[in-house]
């Protein structure tokens, strides 16, 4: 089969690789029909995080089951499935606590040992615990599938940030980050009943999408000016802040505007955010910091129901579609921010 392989920062290529096959009785082999390129893929693409030549790429994918191992109980050949960005057994202590990303048997797609989602097919370990079946009624509905694709990562991650920030009905929430995760954070805050949703961003297209997702205000200033504006427009800060980038400046922003007694829900992969923590203010104002890598497997069932019921549509974050040969170009487009999020149709 063909799949995307990392060679060096700025250099990913589509190459021939071995076909996936059942290795363990709990495996499934899935033909990928939809995948994505993610903002967090850009960390290794830019050389900011460790990734080695020859490693596979892609952690967001959906597809059709082609084969299952002898111990797989919930899936059969022909089923359409959604894969969360980490696989998990669904039975261990952490899976039972809905922290599937800490599963004792789990792991992440791509890398040295696992197939990545930016390819033609994937061997999916722990298929019963990991993969979620898409109801047959919508399995060929392309528009619906595009909405469901966001549940593999960005919509679940945005939801995790909103939950961790304590968003409830009537809340005021601020979202730091206008990438796909930030935009899904706006949608998640709206879904949880936030009344006022403030987006920090300057990009006209992204702001327009955020407004359709429920954003009521936009702060386009930077640094101290943005902090002052946010504190002024909310009379002392929003009680819920979603940090959706992982950079020093985004964490500084988030922990500098949260209302006394409020919370910051952080989901951005920490790439400098530690330095941005305004711990002194968090201490003096009792501001909580919650979050982490999002256990999206825990959220897929409820989010899937809302998508199918027509109550949730994150698909506007996909503003570019490529086939497998277009993946290197897709990385470049996300890297220079000309694309918010790229959908891959292998
Ligand atoms: Zn587990």
């Amino acid at each position: 089969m063909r799949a995307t392989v990392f060679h060096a920062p700025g250099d990913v290529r589509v190459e021939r690789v071995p076909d996936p096959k059942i290795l363990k009785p709990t495996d499934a082999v899935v033909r990928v029909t939809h995948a994505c390129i993610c903002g967090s893929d850009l960390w290794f693409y830019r050389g900011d995080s460790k990734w080695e030549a020859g490693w596979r790429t892609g952690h967001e994918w959906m597809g059709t089951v082609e084969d299952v191992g002898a111990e797989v109980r919930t899936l059969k050949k022909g089923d359409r499935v959604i894969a969360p960005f980490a696989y998990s057994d669904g039975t261990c202590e952490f899976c039972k606590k809905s922290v599937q990303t800490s599963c004792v048997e789990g792991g992440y797609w791509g890398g040295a040992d696992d197939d990545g989602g930016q390819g033609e097919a994937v061997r999916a370990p722990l298929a019963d615990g990991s993969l979620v079946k898409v109801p047959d009624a919508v399995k060929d509905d392309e528009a619906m599938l595009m909405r469901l694709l966001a549940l593999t990562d960005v919509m679940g991650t945005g939801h995790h940030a909103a939950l961790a920030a304590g968003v409830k009905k009537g809340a005021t929430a601020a979202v730091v980050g206008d990438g796909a995760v930030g935009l899904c954070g706006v949608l998640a805050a709206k879904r949880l009943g936030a009344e006022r949703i403030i987006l920090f961003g300057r990009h006209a297209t992204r702001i327009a999408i955020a407004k359709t997702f429920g954003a009521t205000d936009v702060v386009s200033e930077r640094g101290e000016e943005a902090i002052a504006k946010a504190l002024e427009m909310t009379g002392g800060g929003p009680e819920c802040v979603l940090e959706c980038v992982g950079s020093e400046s985004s964490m500084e922003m988030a922990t500098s505007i949260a209302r006394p007694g409020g919370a910051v829900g952080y989901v951005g992969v920490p790439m400098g955010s530690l330095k941005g923590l305004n711990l002194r203010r968090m201490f003096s104002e009792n501001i909580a910091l919650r979050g982490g890598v999002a256990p999206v497997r825990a959220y897929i069932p409820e989010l899937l129901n809302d998508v199918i019921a027509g109550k949730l549509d994150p698909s506007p974050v996909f503003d570019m579609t490529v086939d497998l040969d277009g993946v290197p170009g897709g990385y470049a487009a996300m890297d220079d921010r000309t694309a918010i999020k790229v959908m891959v149709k292998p």
Side-chain angles (χ1 to χ4, degrees):
M1 72 162 184
R2 300 199 312 142
T4 308
V5 177
F6 175 81
H7 280 257
D11 181 6
V12 294
R13 301 179 206 165
V14 177
E15 298 172 354
R16 287 233 145 259
V17 298
D19 288 349
K21 54 183 188 300
I22 301 290
L23 297 178
K24 295 185 181 158
T26 48
D27 290 351
V29 168
V30 182
R31 171 121 336 252
V32 176
T33 58
H34 302 72
C36 313
I37 301 173
C38 190
S40 63
D41 290 335
L42 297 179
W43 293 121
F44 66 72
Y45 184 73
R46 292 171 178 160
D48 296 326
S49 70
K50 178 178 163 300
W51 212 254
E52 294 189 22
W55 285 13
R56 303 289 186 77
T57 62
H59 57 268
E60 301 152 294
W61 57 275
M62 295 186 341
T64 304
V65 176
E66 288 204 327
D67 195 5
V68 294
E71 289 173 21
V72 174
R73 296 281 167 270
T74 63
L75 301 167
K76 64 185 185 316
K77 193 175 161 96
D79 284 348
R80 180 175 281 288
V81 292
I82 299 175
F85 66 77
Y87 57 81
S88 51
D89 61 12
T91 56
C92 76
E93 171 200 345
F94 302 112
C95 283
K96 287 193 180 129
K97 283 184 190 161
S98 294
V99 193
Q100 284 86 344
T101 37
S102 296
C103 174
V104 294
E105 300 296 333
Y108 291 88
W109 311 110
D113 309 315
D114 291 296
D115 292 317
Q118 294 155 2
E120 290 175 331
V122 168
R123 176 183 77 89
L126 307 172
D128 280 332
S130 307
L131 306 178
V132 178
K133 186 174 179 315
V134 172
D136 290 342
V138 298
K139 75 177 201 173
D140 300 314
D141 177 339
E142 189 53 34
M144 188 67 81
L145 294 174
M146 203 168 157
R147 295 171 193 162
L148 293 173
L149 182 60
L151 305 192
T152 57
D153 182 349
V154 292
M155 187 63 231
T157 299
H159 179 65
H160 189 56
L163 285 178
V167 176
K168 290 188 178 56
K169 201 166 170 28
T172 295
V175 178
V176 183
D178 63 0
V181 170
L183 294 174
C184 287
V186 171
L187 199 50
K190 181 74 179 170
R191 180 176 172 271
L192 292 173
E195 204 167 281
R196 194 171 183 197
I197 303 172
I198 304 161
L199 176 79
F200 286 74
R202 281 163 291 283
H203 195 282
T205 317
R206 295 166 190 235
I207 290 169
I209 293 173
K211 287 185 173 164
T212 64
F213 281 5
T216 56
D217 306 81
V218 176
V219 173
S220 294
E221 286 76 0
R222 292 176 192 275
E224 291 304 323
E225 244 188 297
I227 292 170
K229 179 152 185 205
L231 292 172
E232 188 260 325
M233 69 197 286
T234 55
E239 70 257 37
C240 310
V241 183
L242 288 66
E243 191 283 314
C244 300
V245 182
S247 66
E248 180 176 349
S249 60
S250 64
M251 186 58 89
E252 187 170 0
M253 179 74 65
T255 53
S256 300
I257 64 169
R259 196 175 196 80
V264 172
Y266 77 114
V267 294
V269 178
M271 302 299 282
S273 49
L274 183 58
K275 279 183 283 173
L277 270 179
N278 187 342
L279 200 57
R280 183 157 294 284
R281 183 171 181 274
M282 292 167 68
F283 179 78
S284 60
E285 308 298 354
N286 279 284
I287 292 160
L289 180 68
R290 286 189 294 261
V293 59
V296 300
R297 177 62 186 82
Y299 305 136
I300 290 176
E302 66 170 284
L303 297 175
L304 181 147
N305 289 342
D306 276 14
V307 168
I308 291 179
K311 291 191 278 184
L312 183 66
D313 178 8
S315 65
V317 299
F318 295 111
D319 58 349
M320 183 175 175
T321 301
V322 299
D323 61 12
L324 210 43
D325 292 311
V327 169
Y331 269 87
M334 285 188 61
D335 186 34
D336 63 22
R337 287 175 58 88
T338 50
I340 300 171
K341 192 167 182 66
V342 174
M343 178 165 78
V344 182
K345 305 272 319 245

